[in-house]
Amino acid sequence: MKLPLARSLLAGCAALLLAACQPTETETKTPAEGGQATAEACDVSRRAELRSVRPELEAAALEAAKASRGGGSPALWTLRDEDTTIHLLGTVHLLRPELDWMSPEIEAAIAGAGTVVFEADTTSPEAQRELMKFYTTQGFFTDGAQLTNFLSEGETEELKAALETVGLPIEALLPHRPWMAAVNISVTQMLDEGFDPESGVEKVIERAALAHGAGFAYLETVEQQLGGLAGLSYCDQVDFLMATVDGVGEGTAALDLLVDEWADGDVTGIGVLMANPEMLGSQPIYDVMMTDRNALWVPQITAMLEEPGTVLVAVGAGHLAGKDSVIEMLRNEGYTVEGP
């Protein structure tokens, strides 16, 4: 079986933002790179090679993840000094409503937090305006280019087949830049198959934190969160799109597996599934979605130790697992992080 890990990663980041604010096709503008790249300008043979080796890599990751075990509930880490306690919790932004994942330890961490820190604000009116502006300025072409201009004939046919599976007409995606098309495909399929942002971990935490008067803070802006994807070359964006297309036929099997690993607290399994650039499309995609952002978050998290109190940092589970994770970066800087 194929394991569409690129779409699982989106579930931890961009999918939540797109689900929170569906974009329109107005007020678009051309990116700094322009819209003039073509499929011929990219190394199509390199992309084909990446796609050909991915199934074997994914199969190995699948077996390794299934072979590992966690503690039976989502993993929780703690970083502390004399007067500050920081809990770190990996999240899944869209979940099936019937999943019961709350543990007594997580419930206590939420109840005791004076401040809850998420990746980005997605709910305030200001955030909604920022999201819409980003999508309309960074997600669409306005210079006459269309999505299929950047695909080979074979890739176009594969995209059409994938879109039929998720019930999207190709005409709806033609104005989308490749990164945006990939996110849109992922969101559509996840929502259709029962994953709900209102049941996601952040929403559950947010409701509980509001009930006891906690404050909220954020590690990045919408532009910082999605800007890496939007700023990729069109060639890298197409790598990302085709990695997404490759997994559509398997439905949400990869996300279901990732949720199982997360709910079991299997940090090793999550790391195996998420910390492999080739399975996400390419090294540039992995860097902008994972490593680069993690590196920007670490100094913000350590700075929280300067203020007394208790903080809960809740970010996508993939950011806290694997060799490039926030946890490993903190430990490599000499901080003692309690937990798996």
Side-chain angles (χ1 to χ4, degrees):
M1 123 179 207
K2 288 184 179 179
L3 187 63
L5 293 177
R7 295 190 307 107
S8 297
L9 181 57
L10 282 174
C13 173
L16 175 66
L17 293 179
L18 187 57
C21 182
Q22 291 294 323
T24 65
E25 298 181 23
T26 60
E27 300 181 13
T28 59
K29 68 180 182 181
T30 305
E33 182 187 2
Q36 304 305 317
T38 65
E40 289 73 26
C42 302
D43 188 346
V44 179
S45 63
R46 180 196 61 82
R47 181 159 62 242
E49 182 178 356
L50 284 173
R51 296 177 68 194
S52 70
V53 302
R54 192 175 295 127
E56 182 177 351
L57 295 170
E58 292 174 345
L62 176 64
E63 291 305 312
K66 286 183 175 179
S68 63
R69 295 290 182 271
S73 60
L76 190 68
W77 292 263
T78 302
L79 171 66
R80 67 176 90 235
D81 63 12
E82 295 81 1
D83 58 3
T84 306
T85 298
I86 302 172
H87 299 295
L88 297 104
L89 173 67
T91 69
V92 182
H93 294 327
L94 289 84
L95 285 173
R96 299 187 189 278
E98 62 270 20
L99 180 66
D100 181 11
W101 53 267
M102 184 69 71
S103 70
E105 293 77 14
I106 295 173
E107 189 171 22
I110 297 170
T115 303
V116 173
V117 181
F118 293 137
E119 293 178 25
D121 179 9
T122 64
T123 58
S124 71
E126 295 79 12
Q128 291 288 303
R129 287 192 291 270
E130 186 181 356
L131 280 165
M132 184 60 70
K133 180 180 178 181
F134 186 88
Y135 290 134
T136 56
T137 58
Q138 300 296 324
F140 299 93
F141 298 114
T142 58
D143 62 350
Q146 294 186 335
L147 178 62
T148 50
N149 295 154
F150 305 93
L151 308 178
S152 68
E153 290 185 8
E155 289 168 339
T156 298
E157 292 306 310
E158 290 179 272
L159 174 63
K160 289 179 179 178
L163 292 177
E164 288 181 6
T165 299
V166 299
L168 286 173
I170 193 169
E171 291 77 16
L173 265 67
L174 289 178
H176 289 58
R177 295 175 187 162
W179 77 269
M180 183 73 162
V183 175
N184 219 333
I185 292 168
S186 297
V187 171
T188 299
Q189 188 165 32
M190 285 188 291
L191 294 178
D192 286 347
E193 297 199 23
F195 286 85
D196 183 2
E198 289 301 313
S199 298
V201 177
E202 278 82 359
K203 287 295 185 181
V204 173
I205 292 174
E206 181 181 52
R207 289 190 288 267
L210 283 170
H212 75 258
F216 294 90
Y218 307 95
L219 294 170
E220 58 192 3
T221 65
V222 168
E223 186 166 359
Q224 289 170 330
Q225 185 166 76
L226 294 180
L229 275 178
L232 288 168
S233 72
Y234 283 122
C235 298
D236 287 329
Q237 289 185 38
V238 172
D239 288 345
F240 186 44
L241 172 62
M242 297 315 297
T244 302
V245 165
D246 286 341
V248 165
E250 295 296 336
T252 55
L255 186 53
D256 282 320
L257 173 63
L258 188 61
V259 170
D260 288 344
E261 297 294 304
W262 168 78
D264 185 45
D266 186 1
V267 180
T268 298
I270 295 172
V272 167
L273 294 175
M274 303 298 285
N276 193 323
E278 289 81 5
M279 290 186 290
L280 300 179
S282 69
Q283 185 71 46
I285 295 165
Y286 178 78
D287 287 342
V288 301
M289 295 194 73
M290 301 294 286
T291 312
D292 294 349
R293 294 169 64 212
N294 292 349
L296 291 173
W297 294 352
V298 165
Q300 296 181 65
I301 292 170
T302 57
M304 297 174 194
L305 292 170
E306 298 175 7
E307 296 292 331
T310 300
V311 179
L312 173 63
V313 177
V315 297
H319 294 283
L320 303 183
K323 63 183 177 61
D324 300 312
S325 68
V326 168
I327 301 300
E328 289 305 305
M329 289 182 182
L330 286 167
R331 288 171 173 165
N332 289 339
E333 290 192 11
Y335 290 94
T336 299
V337 183
E338 302 168 16

